[in-house]
Amino acid sequence: MPLPFFEVDVPIKSTDQPDRRGVHVFTGPADSRSSAVRIAHEVYDAARAAQEAGLEIPGKRPDGWGARGYRPGWEPDWLSATAGRWNDPYSWLRVSDFDL
């Protein structure tokens, strides 16, 4: 059985202008919320290391996780990251509130 797909939302803030905030979103398969956050952190760290070394940001890993970009000057708050099952807003197979 395939693993469920998760969305990990990580609050970020600008190091230059701390009042500027946002959210970095990661998605991919995982067996739990904590695994999803751990994997998102791994792909973020890989993207950051590549960028800082002047290399291209790695593409998706074989497990389906990856980072499309890295924003220097924005710091993630991993302790406040949240993860939950992802529902494609464009899918006709969405889970309804009644199914929960």
Side-chain angles (χ1 to χ4, degrees):
M1 175 177 240
L3 292 173
F5 215 74
F6 282 85
E7 175 179 322
V8 178
D9 298 328
V10 185
I12 57 175
K13 69 177 180 181
S14 171
T15 55
D16 295 333
Q17 300 172 350
D19 58 319
R20 294 188 65 200
R21 298 177 180 276
V23 177
H24 198 101
V25 178
F26 299 87
T27 58
D31 59 7
S32 67
R33 286 181 169 96
S34 60
S35 291
V37 172
R38 177 185 51 77
I39 296 167
H41 201 279
E42 288 174 4
V43 298
Y44 173 84
D45 287 345
R48 182 178 194 161
Q51 178 84 21
E52 290 174 351
L55 302 173
E56 186 174 321
I57 291 175
K60 278 190 179 180
R61 301 181 338 174
D63 63 5
W65 287 85
R68 291 188 177 180
Y70 169 72
R71 296 182 76 182
W74 288 81
E75 285 300 316
D77 179 1
W78 287 102
L79 295 177
S80 298
T82 59
R85 295 282 296 267
W86 182 74
N87 288 311
D88 183 350
Y90 302 107
S91 173
W92 60 275
L93 296 174
R94 291 181 57 184
V95 175
S96 77
D97 292 340
F98 300 108
D99 293 334
L100 300 176

